[in-house]
Amino acid sequence: MSGANHPLRTRIVEKLAVSDADASARFMATLDERLGDATPAVRDLLAGIGSGSPYLSRLIERKTRHALDLFNMAPEASLATALALARAAAQADGVKGQMQALREAKSAAALAIGLAEIAGAWSTMDAARALSDFADEAVGSALQMALEEVQAKGLLVANGAGSIEQGSGVAVIAMGKLGGRELNYSSDIDLIVIYDPSTDALSSGGDPRRAAVLATKLMVSRLSDQTRDGYVFRTDLRLRPDPGGSAAAVSINAAEAYYEAHGQNWERAAFIKARPIAGDMYLGAEFMKRLRPFIWRKHLDFAAVEDIHSIKRQIHAAKGGADIEFYGHDLKTGRGGIREIEFFAQTQQLILGGKDDALRAPATLDALAALAAPGIISESAREELTRCYVYLRRVEHRLQMIADEQTHRLPKDEVGAARLAAFLGEASVAGLEARIVETLTTTHRHFAALFERSRRLSLPIGTLSFTGVEVDEATRATLGALGFANPAAVAERIRRWHMGEIRATRTARARGLLTEMTPGLLAALTRANDPDEAFTAFDKFLSALPGGVQIFSLLANNPAIYDRLIRIMTIAPNLGRHLARRSLFVEALLEQRWPSPLLGRAELDASLSDRLAGVADFEAQLNVLRRWQAEHHFIIAAQLAEGSIEPVAAAEAFTNLAETTIAALAPLVAADAARTYGAIDGALAIVALGRLGARCMTAASDIDLMFVYRAAEGAMSSGSKSLDAADYFGRLVRRFLTAMSAPTEEGALYQVDMQLRPSGRSGPPAVSFLAFQRYYSADAWTWEKMALVKARLIVGEPSLCEAVHGEIAAILRQPRDSAATAHDVVSMRARLRASHRSTDPWDLKHVDGGFTDIDFVIEYLSLAHRSALGSDLNTDPAVALAELKKAEILDAARANTLITALELYETILQVGRAAAGGAFVFGRTGPALRDRLARACGVDAIEEAEEMLKRAEASVIVIFDEVVTAAATSAPSSTPSDASTAS
């Protein structure tokens, strides 16, 4: 500090102007005779203060004698007095006395430092160091008060170290501007409190954590509580590790573990300025020593450098596309402001300081000098940025001296600007504006040049900043303008992503990539029907990811995928969960055209054959098959859910996929069984029933199968343990079922339903061709023959498949009494209603007038009038209805009504199951899926779709009664009492 030991009055070099003559005159009048022999320079200075600073005016009015005495003292002596008052405050009587004494010390320091800076006796940075020195003493005194109170409660044991703080096991680390000894005039102070539970003083008290946390809270109270005497410093503990989940004081080991596992680069930047200032200084030094590898990395790869630059992109975005301005500009975070200079230095320190200790200077101006010395930045850059920093800090101090407010924003009107200009000694507002704009422009020119190759984290609409410990207000405003209904929650959640709160963002590389992708992501979210719902879906996806680097890399380099991805996640959260578990699905979205051409059977067969080529091991083959099936299943379901393909095309695609999977799996299982049991003289055929047989599979359909074998009489397997045909094919089928349905890391292929096989659950897994013939000729119930209407041979030895197909056709062509058949159908429908009836129009399987009633009409007519059809009835229900109409078995009006209803039902079921990934329950659907369902139904609102459903169901009920119920007679029923398994 220049001019040491000379009285302040002899060192006045500033000339303040008066912007408010009345306020100045009133202030000077209150001082009146007390001014005594004050020099003209002192009087002029006081007049300017009376016009420019209500806060300092009040301090001077309250303690005029003390204020005038300050002009007769060297500023260094005045500061020493304030420091001594702060130290002595801990010795005052009682808590009230201590707090009053500490606040009196703060007033003395604020007045002494403020007058010294205004007079020009000290530079702004001299004043900043003086404020920091006083804050050190105040924090130390407040901690002493707190520790003594904790000791009085028996939680801390005297350590005999000379002072209660030394050896206490509690250390206070100063962060930010206090840590760098460049505190501003009305600053908060950022502190981290560390404790060591193994310290004797703490451990002897029995509960180290409780003692340290209590001491911290008491210290903060002494400093920041507002009393009639004011406050000392607003104290912020949010820079501590994991502030949302940790206590006010953090153990040294927990803090070290946090920074090793989750520390972010903005925290590394914050620790550049960190230093122990109070309490157990040995512990504080030990903590900083342990953090040195976290702060100063010896080796940085490109990804780490990019992550450091990502901090800049977030801070750079803090004024988005705004121009440099004067009125209302934020001198700290605005474009060209103080933070840009600090970050200009800190970013280069982080990148290069791991290898060069000389670059680790905490204070901003020292850091600029250190960077210039080896030529990392030019000397002209250092000079210009130093000049800009000092001037911006000077203006910042004057702004804060006006009302003792922690503000960095220039006045928004000319009256305020005139007062500030006068308080700074400027001749005019225009002169002040020109100087500030030139300073901001110069700062930003250097700042922008440093990162000119970086991509910006910004949207044209404004601020996006997610660093730090709280939601940025400007960012919240930007998100609100983008259309988010709850922008604060969105901003807080993204900030938590950047904190590494989820697994996907716990590495520096992942967080850097997240920064890159955020603007595109937010833009895509705002294009969703409900941005908040879309954000929630994406958050769930992100939270479920086991790691983020691979997925974030794909997304950051392919922003065009965002809209598609968000549509899928919002409409179908289940598919979002699949995406989170399997990055290959995201790759599939990127690699394929959209909509992706749906492959036919031949193309699917060829694709799977290529994947399996060269894979010899059976388990490896199964895993390849599972991955292949899951990938194709996801692509179909995702396109269907988000509307790129029609439901009828999806049904065919799902069916083709299932058939290809079964056709590929069957020989793999057969070969594996042959290795275990040997060969046998026989063959196996697989019959598809239900939705697979009807070629209308959905994203969540089970597969209904029947297995029929044929073997030579007395055939035995050739393995070491010979098996007869029934045992052999039974074991083969069980192996097949296990391969299909067993849950594995790659997932299961399909769930298989065997209840439609002869004898249902009690029957063998595979039946011989002869047993199949006997059962359906003598023992099968009507509902079992109805199920065969959808039966198709899909895999097997050709001659056996032909024989089974012929037998099924013969069973269906058998003459039967139409009235008795109708009676059986009506009885079975009544039993199904009794066990599964629903009144929900969206429960299409169980509601009256739903799928079951349409199927029963088709199945009844195909059995009762088979001879009139002339050929096999198509297993697809829609085609079957058309054939029944063509054969005039069902009149055109009824057939058309059923076809229309069936198309509507299939549309809803296909989309709903693709989105849900299982049973479709309308009550669990979100707004996006409801919109998608309405659009799929060809209407604008889901309420219209529901009315369509109700009308269709009512029409189907009428047709069922007219076609089936009316045909029923009192003929004997062949329907069993347990026919609830019928579909």
Side-chain angles (χ1 to χ4, degrees), residues 2 6-16 39 41-46 48-49 56 70-75 110-124 126-127 394 398 401 423-424:
S2 59
H6 293 284
L8 178 59
R9 59 182 166 76
T10 65
R11 291 157 60 179
I12 297 176
V13 295
E14 286 280 0
K15 177 70 174 176
L16 303 185
T39 66
V42 169
R43 289 174 181 271
D44 287 346
L45 193 70
L46 289 172
I49 290 173
L56 288 174
L70 292 175
F71 286 99
N72 295 312
M73 298 172 63
L111 190 53
I113 296 168
L115 290 177
E117 183 180 352
I118 291 171
W122 283 349
S123 70
T124 295
D126 289 338
R394 180 170 180 262
R398 296 298 168 92
M401 287 177 186
F423 199 26
L424 282 162

Side-chain angles (χ1 to χ4, degrees), residues 547-559:
V549 171
Q550 184 179 8
I551 294 292
F552 293 171
S553 295
L554 290 170
L555 296 178
N557 291 294
N558 296 275

Side-chain angles (χ1 to χ4, degrees), residues 836-848 850 920 953:
H836 297 297
R837 190 173 192 177
S838 172
T839 59
D840 179 2
W842 298 91
D843 186 357
L844 296 171
K845 182 175 182 180
H846 299 121
V847 71
D848 288 353
F920 169 60
E953 288 160 1

Side-chain angles (χ1 to χ4, degrees), residues 551-630:
I551 294 292
F552 293 171
S553 295
L554 290 170
L555 296 178
N557 291 294
N558 296 275
I561 197 177
Y562 286 131
D563 290 309
R564 184 187 314 160
L565 197 61
I566 288 164
R567 280 198 305 274
I568 292 169
M569 290 175 183
T570 308
I571 294 170
N574 169 71
L575 294 176
R577 289 189 288 273
H578 283 301
L579 280 166
R581 288 195 296 269
R582 297 187 178 189
S583 61
L584 66 90
F585 289 165
V586 180
E587 294 176 25
L589 292 180
L590 292 170
E591 291 169 359
Q592 300 198 29
R593 286 178 291 162
W594 202 264
S596 175
L598 298 176
L599 303 182
R601 267 300 307 274
E603 294 167 307
L604 287 170
D605 290 343
S607 170
L608 181 53
S609 179
D610 288 343
R611 289 280 188 97
L612 289 170
V615 182
D617 178 73
F618 178 60
E619 287 301 325
Q621 291 172 332
L622 291 184
N623 284 330
V624 168
L625 177 56
R626 288 168 182 138
R627 285 192 293 270
W628 176 89
Q629 187 271 349

Side-chain angles (χ1 to χ4, degrees), residues 147-419:
L147 290 173
E148 287 174 352
E149 187 168 338
V150 172
Q151 187 180 49
K153 294 178 182 293
L155 294 172
L156 186 70
V157 176
N159 54 62
S163 69
I164 195 169
E165 304 102 288
Q166 292 304 317
S168 64
V170 178
V172 180
I173 310 298
M175 308 290 289
K177 285 187 167 59
L178 176 56
R181 297 187 72 227
E182 48 192 17
L183 205 61
N184 58 49
Y185 191 78
S186 185
S187 180
D188 287 358
I189 55 174
D190 294 294
L191 305 177
I192 294 176
V193 181
I194 300 296
Y195 71 93
D196 182 354
S198 66
T199 306
D200 290 342
L202 282 176
S203 61
S204 299
D207 193 338
R209 181 178 183 275
R210 181 185 172 198
V213 170
L214 178 58
T216 302
K217 291 179 177 179
L218 291 172
M219 177 191 71
V220 171
S221 173
R222 299 291 196 276
L223 291 167
S224 59
D225 283 2
Q226 185 79 35
T227 72
R228 60 181 294 181
D229 301 300
Y231 66 96
V232 186
F233 288 102
R234 293 173 293 266
T235 306
D236 195 335
L237 300 176
R238 289 174 298 171
L239 290 181
R240 70 186 186 275
D242 189 18
S246 62
V250 184
S251 77
I252 185 172
N253 292 331
E256 182 182 16
Y258 168 84
Y259 290 118
E260 284 181 353
H262 308 301
Q264 299 181 66
N265 278 309
W266 70 264
E267 290 171 304
R268 293 178 58 215
F271 270 102
I272 291 176
K273 295 181 183 293
R275 63 187 174 91
I277 61 167
D280 191 332
M281 298 298 281
Y282 173 82
L283 175 63
E286 172 64 18
F287 175 65
M288 294 306 302
K289 179 181 177 182
R290 291 192 192 184
L291 254 60
R292 202 170 295 147
F294 165 67
I295 306 166
W296 305 112
R297 296 178 183 170
K298 292 293 183 185
H299 304 285
L300 284 181
D301 59 18
F302 176 76
V305 172
E306 280 298 298
D307 185 43
I308 291 170
H309 282 200
S310 77
I311 312 172
K312 170 264 163 188
R313 285 187 289 276
Q314 294 187 44
I315 295 175
H316 178 64
K319 285 299 284 184
D323 294 328
I324 288 173
E325 52 199 0
F326 174 65
Y327 287 103
H329 196 77
D330 192 314
L331 295 179
K332 180 180 179 181
T333 61
R335 182 168 294 219
I338 294 166
R339 183 170 285 180
E340 289 195 357
I341 301 174
E342 292 172 338
F343 199 79
F344 178 93
Q346 289 173 353
T347 302
Q348 295 176 90
Q349 286 179 287
L350 286 181
I351 293 173
L352 303 170
K355 294 183 177 180
D356 187 349
D357 294 0
L359 300 179
R360 301 178 184 181
T364 303
L365 297 184
D366 293 343
L368 292 172
L371 290 167
I376 296 169
I377 65 173
S378 67
E379 182 59 28
S380 62
R382 183 200 68 78
E383 289 176 355
E384 289 190 336
L385 288 174
T386 297
R387 172 179 60 80
C388 292
Y389 185 76
V390 171
Y391 180 67
L392 290 173
R393 290 297 307 271
R394 180 170 180 262
V395 178
E396 175 191 49
H397 276 208
R398 296 298 168 92
L399 280 170
Q400 295 177 351
M401 287 177 186
I402 291 172
D404 189 30
E405 292 177 341
Q406 190 194 14
T407 182
H408 311 278
R409 195 170 292 280
L410 292 168
K412 296 180 179 180
D413 55 54
E414 193 161 349
V415 173
R419 177 165 68 176

